[in-house]
Amino acid sequence: MAAPAALRMRTKSRSHVLSLLPSLPALWICIRSGVTASAVRLPEGRVIKMSAPSMEERKACWGARDEYWKCLDENMEDASRCQKLRCSFESRCPQQWVKYFDKRRDFLKYKEQLEAGEYQPPGTTEKS
């Protein structure tokens, strides 16, 4: 499937590219065209930042993650007590980073239990 003609042409103006995007499906967001943009406004009005986080944004993300993880450790993994910190973590980090950090924490907790000999595998289910 080819990209729409408006995106196939090279352009120097980011504002021109961004003005075209609201009328195009989100899937075509400058991926196939070779045109780069720093932000994209979706049809529902939401703006997605396309550039990599700056050093300050990365540090803010890591700090929010560390505060959230510390809260979880102090409250024995009771996420309901750390809801405000979770919201801060999600708002300061890109969505893919949040997913990665959640999986990373699960793995680190599993590894910690395994090394301490405390890991108990889930019970097996009966086959019918």
Side-chain angles (χ1 to χ4, degrees), residues 104-119:
R104 176 88 177 142
R105 180 172 172 82
D106 291 343
F107 171 75
L108 292 174
K109 288 297 179 181
Y110 162 75
K111 183 179 173 185
E112 186 179 289
Q113 289 178 345
L114 197 60
E115 289 173 347
E118 300 170 356
Y119 177 72

Side-chain angles (χ1 to χ4, degrees), residues 1-16:
M1 186 180 251
L7 282 182
R8 272 188 260 140
M9 63 182 190
R10 292 256 179 194
T11 183
K12 294 179 183 175
S13 168
R14 286 185 181 190
S15 61
H16 174 70

Side-chain angles (χ1 to χ4, degrees), residues 81-99:
R81 292 182 164 186
C82 306
Q83 199 60 35
K84 287 182 182 178
L85 292 172
R86 175 69 187 195
C87 289
S88 174
F89 169 49
E90 289 178 351
S91 69
R92 293 182 181 188
C93 297
Q95 183 181 7
Q96 289 298 318
W97 287 25
V98 171
K99 288 180 185 179

Side-chain angles (χ1 to χ4, degrees), residues 34-60:
V35 176
T36 58
S38 60
V40 174
R41 182 176 301 281
L42 296 178
E44 63 268 11
R46 206 171 89 220
V47 175
I48 296 177
K49 187 174 176 184
M50 303 267 306
S51 62
S54 67
M55 183 180 292
E56 293 81 25
E57 290 169 327
R58 291 191 306 268
K59 286 181 179 180

